[in-house]
Amino acid sequence: MSLLVVGSVAFDSIRTPHGEVEGILGGSASFFSVAASWFSPVKVIAVVGDDFGDEHLEVFRLRSIETTGLERAPGKTFRWKGEYVGDMNDARTLDVQLNVFQSFSPKVPESHASSEFVFLGNIDPKLQLHVRRQLPKARLVACDSMNFWIEGSLNDLKETLREVDALVINEGEARMLSGCQNLRKAATEIQKMGPKIVVIKRGEHGVSLFNNGSIFSTPAFMLEEFKDPTGAGDSFAGGFMGHLARSGDFSEENLRRAVVYGSVMASFAVEEFGLKRLLGLTAQEIEGRVREFTRLTQFDV
Amino acid sequence: MSLLVVGSVAFDSIRTPHGEVEGILGGSASFFSVAASWFSPVKVIAVVGDDFGDEHLEVFRLRSIETTGLERAPGKTFRWKGEYVGDMNDARTLDVQLNVFQSFSPKVPESHASSEFVFLGNIDPKLQLHVRRQLPKARLVACDSMNFWIEGSLNDLKETLREVDALVINEGEARMLSGCQNLRKAATEIQKMGPKIVVIKRGEHGVSLFNNGSIFSTPAFMLEEFKDPTGAGDSFAGGFMGHLARSGDFSEENLRRAVVYGSVMASFAVEEFGLKRLLGLTAQEIEGRVREFTRLTQFDV
């Protein structure tokens, strides 16, 4: 079943203790769609500028990502510059140029209106809702958000949350949105806002899934080395939603599997700067890491 | 098989967002031995002062903990005063009075010299080594340590580490001891110092076990509410070592099981101030939470 994502396409400049890159392809929609493309056909809705060339479009084509909804606007593509220091747990934003993203008003092409699986990447909750309402046949709509919207557009965000099935969000932002320090309570409060599935991303500490009354927690895949955390959360969401879209199964058991696939995709993403690792994968590598992930976490009492 | 612990017995004064207590029984040896006592007979070596009354001794007796090695010295028992704020991840020490603990020189009673399972709680690494060398029949010796010794007594600590089988340590302290940010690398460096088993405690994020080339990671049990994190690490160690002592099995599979028992005991400890919850448990409650822990973490891909 096909999966639609709306989000950002960006050119990122990133410095980490492991190196530095300038203006490489990134953004939530890019990481999500490349990660998800290993599991399911993906359609992307985003905006790019004049500086988005054929070589960039080729990245999406390479993964058979449907780009009819990739709008071209006059001006420059969204740019983000940031750095990670020490344990690379937190990004420090050095510069943001919204450019064409500033006036982005996502349009759902008619050919996409019957999409059943939807991921509303981290953009203005008003736009998320606008897209969501153009997708009446959606069976599972998930969204992301961030501190910027929780602080500045809480009412809009709450309106969006009422119409989505799942929220995929960082630990700190789950606490901020709910006003609860305790994650179980935070998830319960968020569930009251609308989404019955709450997925809390805890970075290097793993992921917790709250689905109705059930809770599932899993550690992150433990890498010997990683280079760049940018896009880890969207790659997680891509693996998570990609697996759900390919299986069409929302059982607790299958949601847990989706968390594992998401965790595995995030673990690949951070091994290289940008999309490099996700683009160069093989299906065998993904299944191999799923098996390693299982060995890392399983016990028998 | 019986288990010996050397560590501190203390009177703790603790403030958390959930309340405040004055001078309650605590210390690494107390938490460890009470937690471990649910799995195996325990012998404790520690020092207390004149203010340690029958009502305190009764706590150990209640759990059939062997107190021949509980030395009484003139003066006051070790006292610690601290508080936890916000998410309660870090303790802020407000006052420490070492008292009788300052000149503590642990003696292993002759009747304890054949102990096979040993936990060297977080005390001066010189004393840990002194105890370890009086236990020639030990089959599994684990120790804990902290930033204070890593910073101030690194050579002594390294000497101790050469003669222990397992180190049970906090995440930040593993990084400090190894000089590696990455936990896999940190564990590998620590293994080179001696202990082939490295257990890294990540607080509310769970535990990682490194045993030879194998890695196991597990989240913490997710509580709706907890009141006081004091003693969580020692309670973990108590469940971990207690299970190993009762089974006498150091296979990877059984070490993983021991991590689960440790995690479960830590999750109980934090539900109440001090030892209260650990003392009031039943074997059924422990097994019930082990099953819940399994449901929280298991998946099938």
Side-chain angles (χ1 to χ4, degrees):
Chain A
M1 277 154 272
S2 99
L3 174 55
L4 180 140
V5 56
V6 57
S8 60
V9 169
F11 289 128
D12 292 337
S13 296
I14 305 159
R15 189 162 53 212
T16 84
H18 301 280
E20 196 169 347
V21 291
E22 280 278 330
I24 61 168
L25 186 60
S28 61
S30 307
F31 279 101
F32 180 94
S33 56
V34 172
S37 71
W38 289 97
F39 303 90
S40 165
V42 186
K43 296 168 173 145
V44 62
I45 297 181
V47 64
V48 296
D50 306 324
D51 50 357
F52 188 87
D54 281 347
E55 71 276 25
H56 303 119
L57 198 60
E58 191 55 27
V59 170
F60 292 89
R61 286 211 187 107
L62 201 72
R63 295 298 315 146
S64 306
I65 296 160
E66 175 37 276
T67 55
T68 310
L70 192 64
E71 185 188 331
R72 252 170 210 284
K76 277 180 153 187
T77 300
F78 176 35
R79 285 174 186 263
W80 179 77
K81 186 174 181 172
E83 69 170 352
Y84 301 85
V85 295
D87 59 8
M88 298 193 278
N89 268 334
D90 297 297
R92 213 174 86 194
T93 293
L94 301 173
D95 189 32
V96 177
Q97 295 170 25
L98 290 176
N99 300 329
V100 298
F101 199 63
Q102 187 138 32
S103 51
F104 178 42
S105 173
K107 292 158 211 59
V108 177
E110 228 178 274
S111 58
H112 295 10
S114 60
S115 298
E116 293 182 302
F117 293 81
V118 178
F119 185 68
L120 308 169
N122 176 20
I123 58 174
D124 186 333
K126 264 190 203 151
L127 301 181
Q128 290 178 321
L129 189 58
H130 175 68
V131 171
R132 198 267 163 269
R133 287 186 172 163
Q134 292 172 67
L135 298 162
K137 296 198 175 157
R139 292 172 56 201
L140 186 79
V141 180
C143 80
D144 189 4
S145 195
M146 70 183 293
N147 47 8
F148 183 77
W149 309 115
I150 298 169
E151 283 166 352
S153 308
L154 187 58
N155 287 337
D156 291 340
L157 179 58
K158 285 192 171 170
E159 212 174 325
T160 301
L161 288 177
R162 273 197 288 276
E163 301 190 26
V164 305
D165 307 293
L167 177 67
V168 181
I169 193 170
N170 285 339
E171 184 171 9
E173 287 156 356
R175 291 195 164 115
M176 186 188 284
L177 175 60
S178 63
C180 298
Q181 276 297 323
N182 181 285
L183 282 192
R184 263 179 86 159
K185 285 189 181 166
T188 303
E189 286 309 308
I190 294 169
Q191 285 171 326
K192 287 181 195 161
M193 298 177 191
K196 65 179 191 302
I197 301 167
V198 175
V199 183
I200 299 183
K201 298 174 288 180
R202 314 168 87 173
E204 61 161 339
H205 296 298
V207 174
S208 296
L209 164 74
F210 302 82
N211 172 37
N212 291 316
S214 174
I215 309 178
F216 172 58
S217 255
T218 196
F221 185 77
M222 206 175 276
L223 294 163
E224 182 89 36
E225 201 165 276
F226 66 99
K227 288 189 179 160
D228 171 20
T230 311
D234 293 302
S235 304
F236 169 84
F240 178 77
M241 290 296 289
H243 174 72
L244 293 176
R246 91 170 149 183
S247 58
D249 170 4
F250 315 145
S251 66
E252 168 70 21
E253 209 181 14
N254 200 49
L255 285 168
R256 291 183 173 211
R257 247 173 243 135
V259 167
V260 171
Y261 279 101
S263 302
V264 160
M265 297 314 283
S267 78
F268 282 122
V270 301
E271 288 186 322
E272 297 285 353
F273 283 87
L275 296 160
K276 190 173 169 190
R277 187 73 175 98
L278 292 182
L279 288 169
L281 282 172
T282 64
Q284 287 69 30
E285 276 184 295
I286 295 170
E287 289 307 320
R289 188 158 291 181
V290 168
R291 282 193 300 275
E292 275 188 84
F293 193 92
T294 304
R295 276 197 295 275
L296 171 77
T297 55
Q298 297 304 72
F299 61 87
D300 170 35
V301 283
Chain B
M1 276 155 276
S2 99
L3 173 57
L4 181 141
V5 56
V6 58
S8 60
V9 169
F11 289 128
D12 292 338
S13 296
I14 305 157
R15 189 163 50 213
T16 83
H18 301 280
E20 196 168 349
V21 292
E22 282 277 331
I24 61 168
L25 186 60
S28 60
S30 308
F31 279 102
F32 180 94
S33 56
V34 172
S37 72
W38 289 97
F39 302 91
S40 164
V42 186
K43 296 168 174 143
V44 62
I45 296 182
V47 65
V48 295
D50 308 322
D51 50 357
F52 188 87
D54 281 348
E55 72 276 26
H56 302 120
L57 197 59
E58 190 55 29
V59 171
F60 292 89
R61 287 211 188 107
L62 202 72
R63 296 298 315 144
S64 306
I65 295 160
E66 171 41 272
T67 54
T68 309
L70 192 66
E71 186 188 330
R72 249 170 214 284
K76 277 180 155 187
T77 300
F78 176 35
R79 284 174 187 263
W80 179 77
K81 185 174 180 171
E83 69 170 352
Y84 301 84
V85 295
D87 59 9
M88 297 193 278
N89 269 331
D90 297 298
R92 214 174 86 194
T93 293
L94 300 174
D95 189 33
V96 176
Q97 295 170 26
L98 289 176
N99 301 330
V100 297
F101 199 63
Q102 187 138 30
S103 51
F104 178 42
S105 172
K107 292 158 211 63
V108 178
E110 228 179 274
S111 59
H112 295 10
S114 60
S115 297
E116 293 183 302
F117 293 82
V118 177
F119 185 68
L120 308 169
N122 176 21
I123 58 173
D124 187 331
K126 264 191 204 147
L127 301 182
Q128 290 179 320
L129 188 60
H130 176 68
V131 171
R132 198 264 163 271
R133 287 187 172 160
Q134 294 172 65
L135 299 162
K137 298 199 175 157
R139 292 172 57 201
L140 186 79
V141 180
C143 81
D144 187 5
S145 196
M146 70 183 292
N147 48 7
F148 182 76
W149 309 114
I150 298 169
E151 283 167 350
S153 308
L154 187 58
N155 287 337
D156 292 339
L157 178 57
K158 286 191 172 171
E159 212 175 322
T160 301
L161 289 178
R162 274 197 288 277
E163 302 190 26
V164 305
D165 307 293
L167 177 66
V168 180
I169 195 170
N170 285 339
E171 183 170 11
E173 287 155 358
R175 292 195 163 115
M176 187 188 281
L177 175 60
S178 63
C180 298
Q181 275 297 324
N182 181 285
L183 280 192
R184 262 180 86 157
K185 286 188 181 168
T188 303
E189 286 309 307
I190 294 169
Q191 285 171 326
K192 288 180 196 161
M193 298 176 192
K196 63 178 197 301
I197 300 168
V198 175
V199 183
I200 300 183
K201 298 174 288 181
R202 314 168 87 174
E204 61 159 341
H205 296 298
V207 175
S208 295
L209 164 74
F210 301 83
N211 172 36
N212 292 315
S214 174
I215 310 177
F216 172 57
S217 256
T218 197
F221 186 77
M222 205 175 278
L223 294 163
E224 182 90 34
E225 199 163 277
F226 67 100
K227 286 190 182 161
D228 172 19
T230 310
D234 293 303
S235 304
F236 169 84
F240 178 75
M241 291 295 289
H243 174 71
L244 293 177
R246 89 168 151 186
S247 58
D249 170 4
F250 315 146
S251 65
E252 168 70 19
E253 209 181 10
N254 200 48
L255 286 168
R256 291 183 174 209
R257 245 172 245 135
V259 167
V260 171
Y261 278 101
S263 302
V264 160
M265 296 314 284
S267 78
F268 282 122
V270 302
E271 288 186 323
E272 295 286 352
F273 283 87
L275 295 160
K276 189 174 170 191
R277 187 74 174 97
L278 292 181
L279 289 168
L281 281 172
T282 65
Q284 287 69 30
E285 275 184 296
I286 296 171
E287 289 308 319
R289 188 159 291 182
V290 168
R291 284 192 299 275
E292 274 188 85
F293 193 92
T294 305
R295 277 197 295 276
L296 172 78
T297 55
Q298 298 304 71
F299 61 87
D300 170 35
V301 283

